[in-house]
Amino acid sequence: MSEKQIYRLVHGQARAGALAAIKSAPDGFVVTIQPPTRTLEQNARMWAMLTDVSKQVEWYGRKLSPANWKHVFSAALDKQDVVPGIDGGFVVLGKSTSKMSIRQMAALQELMSAFGAERGVLWSEPGMQGYEDLAASARRAA
């Protein structure tokens, strides 16, 4: 048996394969059942959104890279902890977006959408046009 096998439980044959692998696994192997992680589409959309925010929002007098914005948003999503860094500054004990479930990634993108709407971010992602329309309506109403 190889070191790692992954089965996506989407049909009976996959479930049967997973059961067979469990039955034949040596003692001490570990089985983990977890929700699916984010989709490739969600990942692409997240990076497009992060890039838009990076280009359009100044954060406390600084422009942040898309990767740094990812840390800001993922930390905000789970109210994550901050500790002092080894050589000064602070380190956010963040969550990896690659390990997020589809539901968690959707929540992260909703947070990003709300943040962008509050700051007038114009989204380059075609699917984000609805958020731009809502943000424009909110600004007109204010």
Side-chain angles (χ1 to χ4, degrees):
M1 171 173 271
S2 69
E3 287 298 308
K4 183 175 183 178
Q5 295 182 28
I6 298 173
Y7 294 87
R8 188 166 301 272
L9 303 177
V10 294
H11 49 69
Q13 186 176 0
R15 290 178 186 279
L19 287 171
I22 290 168
K23 288 178 183 178
S24 67
D27 288 346
F29 268 53
V30 176
V31 175
T32 302
I33 305 293
Q34 66 186 34
T37 56
R38 65 180 180 170
T39 66
L40 292 176
E41 292 80 13
Q42 284 180 310
N43 187 54
R45 183 173 184 249
M46 175 190 70
W47 283 106
M49 293 174 75
L50 291 168
T51 299
D52 290 340
V53 171
S54 176
K55 289 177 181 176
Q56 298 175 50
V57 177
E58 189 174 288
W59 192 243
Y60 292 93
R62 296 177 58 187
K63 287 287 201 172
L64 301 179
S65 69
N68 285 339
W69 275 112
K70 183 176 75 137
H71 294 301
V72 170
F73 286 118
S74 65
L77 183 65
D78 288 335
K79 310 293 186 253
Q80 300 198 347
D81 200 4
V82 177
V83 296
I86 293 171
D87 293 328
F90 293 93
V91 177
V92 175
L93 303 177
K95 179 173 188 152
S96 169
T97 56
S98 66
K99 306 248 187 303
M100 285 185 177
S101 69
I102 291 171
R103 182 174 292 161
Q104 289 170 319
M105 181 58 73
L108 178 68
Q109 291 181 11
E110 281 297 317
L111 172 68
M112 294 166 64
S113 297
F115 178 89
E118 290 172 358
R119 287 159 181 82
V121 171
L122 301 175
W123 303 110
S124 60
E125 177 76 17
M128 294 299 296
Q129 184 60 43
Y131 290 108
E132 287 181 24
D133 295 343
L134 288 173
S137 296
R139 285 192 297 272
R140 283 193 299 272

